[in-house]
Amino acid sequence: MTIAAVVYAGCWALFAWLGDSWLQLLLAAVLAVVFGQLGFLAHDLGHRQVFRTRRPSDVAGLIIGNLGVGLGWGWWTSKHNRHHANPNHEDHDPDVSPAVIVWSEDQVARSSGLPRFIAKYQAYWFFPLLTLEAWHLHIASFKALLNPAAKRRKLELTLLVVHAVIYLGAVFAVLSPGKAVLFLIVHQGLFGVYLGSTFAPNHKGMPVLTKDDKLDFLRKQVLTSRNVRGGWFTDIALGQLNYQIEHHLFPNMPAPNLRKAQPIVERYCAEIGVSYLQTGLFESYGQALSHLHEVGAALRRPPAAAVG
């Protein structure tokens, strides 16, 4: 957390020092990664991995999420916890709701409008659409806090507004209007791609559950999750979410310990005959994209010829 805070502050100091320069677009790319790393910390705080008690977790989560990154930490944590309770479940997991991308053939059959248009070739649309993911999360954060019943509504909304004012104010104060707009496009676009690229290998392309699937806790978590092999670089780049199976089984386990739990869980799954999937990073993307392409296959078939 200290390293992330120092790098975050250093990037903005460098931003001020560079001034109205085209080099700021390179810094925008670096900041996209820094924002992503802060997002991982907010994720871990939401799972109570960092502090023993709730209050410091909430304080740190609000500072990093709402103030530092501009994402509603309380709203996202609640949504993410619903995902953990029912991963890849059509009816209960908000991460597989057919908002734009559709995740199963049943969703394709029920789709209409933009999701149906996208679904036909959604494997090709997936990464381009991720450039809009950060903007979507910012808007969704504000939208969730418009609900009067939202928890800590005034505090979270205030922190989001403060972030937006300082962030946009700094960008447009230092850069010319054209460079400022390009900076926002590059920074937020790559931030969205980075976030999406770290979460996509975890569940996309794995079985999508319905109300007819009756699984115990272990199978529900393991069979819908995929681990990604790699060394220290992969661990850092993916926020240690590459140990997705272990994370879903033990969501409160501090992320640095997941790699220690991994061989134990893998051996146990082998003993009881539960499929345990672990692939390379690019193979995981291939499986996810292949699944998305197969889901939309029905829309690519030519309509049946009329009879009579």
Side-chain angles (χ1 to χ4, degrees):
M1 290 174 71
T2 303
I3 293 172
V6 169
V7 173
Y8 181 84
C11 284
W12 286 115
L14 181 59
F15 175 84
W17 181 77
L18 284 174
D20 191 20
S21 167
W22 288 107
L23 290 175
Q24 297 281 22
L25 299 184
L26 295 177
L27 183 59
V30 174
L31 270 170
V33 177
V34 175
F35 270 46
Q37 289 291 320
L38 289 174
F40 295 145
L41 289 174
H43 165 272
D44 295 350
L45 287 161
H47 282 295
R48 313 299 180 195
Q49 295 178 14
V50 182
F51 299 103
R52 292 184 181 275
T53 56
R54 179 179 295 273
R55 183 172 177 79
S57 298
D58 289 345
V59 171
L62 291 170
I63 292 172
I64 293 174
N66 292 58
L67 190 59
V69 181
L71 300 181
W73 182 74
W75 159 76
W76 186 87
T77 298
S78 175
K79 179 177 83 74
H80 188 64
N81 287 339
R82 295 200 305 275
H83 155 73
H84 266 265
N86 292 283
N88 265 26
H89 195 291
E90 278 192 348
D91 301 320
H92 304 299
D93 184 356
D95 289 349
V96 291
S97 61
V100 177
I101 299 290
V102 292
W103 308 101
S104 70
E105 292 181 358
D106 287 341
Q107 288 183 346
V108 169
R110 300 194 302 267
S111 65
S112 61
L114 181 61
R116 190 171 184 84
F117 172 79
I118 295 291
K120 190 173 183 179
Y121 294 105
Q122 61 184 0
Y124 299 100
W125 281 102
F126 184 71
F127 283 106
L129 284 173
L130 287 182
T131 61
L132 303 175
E133 178 63 14
W135 296 107
H136 161 70
L137 292 173
H138 291 307
I139 294 171
S141 297
F142 274 102
K143 185 177 178 180
L145 291 171
L146 294 179
N147 181 357
K151 188 178 179 181
R152 295 186 300 261
R153 180 173 178 250
K154 291 183 179 179
L155 174 60
E156 290 216 30
L157 193 57
T158 298
L159 291 174
L160 285 180
V161 171
V162 169
H163 168 85
V165 170
I166 295 176
Y167 173 71
L168 295 174
V171 170
F172 281 94
V174 172
L175 302 177
S176 62
K179 289 191 184 77
V181 171
L182 285 175
F183 181 92
L184 295 176
I185 291 173
V186 172
H187 179 218
Q188 295 296 330
L190 292 181
F191 178 33
V193 170
Y194 183 39
L195 284 181
S197 297
T198 57
F199 283 95
N202 303 335
H203 300 282
K204 308 315 178 193
M206 300 303 291
V208 176
L209 306 180
T210 68
K211 62 180 183 299
D212 297 324
D213 295 298
K214 308 298 181 183
L215 300 176
D216 59 34
F217 173 80
L218 183 141
R219 286 166 176 80
K220 181 167 62 173
Q221 303 297 338
V222 174
L223 297 179
T224 60
S225 303
R226 178 197 295 111
N227 274 16
V228 176
R229 289 190 295 267
W232 64 268
F233 179 80
T234 304
D235 288 0
I236 294 174
L238 299 185
Q240 299 174 103
L241 294 176
N242 44 312
Y243 304 105
Q244 188 68 195
I245 294 173
E246 289 69 36
H247 172 55
H248 263 257
L249 289 173
F250 312 104
N252 302 117
M253 180 181 288
N257 289 334
L258 294 174
R259 63 182 179 84
K260 301 175 184 178
Q262 187 275 323
I264 302 172
V265 173
E266 185 177 19
R267 284 196 302 269
Y268 180 71
C269 287
E271 289 174 8
I272 64 175
V274 173
S275 177
Y276 181 103
L277 182 59
Q278 186 169 217
T279 72
L281 179 61
F282 293 106
E283 186 180 356
S284 71
Y285 290 136
Q287 291 176 3
L289 294 175
S290 294
H291 171 76
L292 291 178
H293 198 59
E294 290 171 7
V295 164
L299 299 178
R300 297 192 297 274
R301 299 190 192 106
V307 178

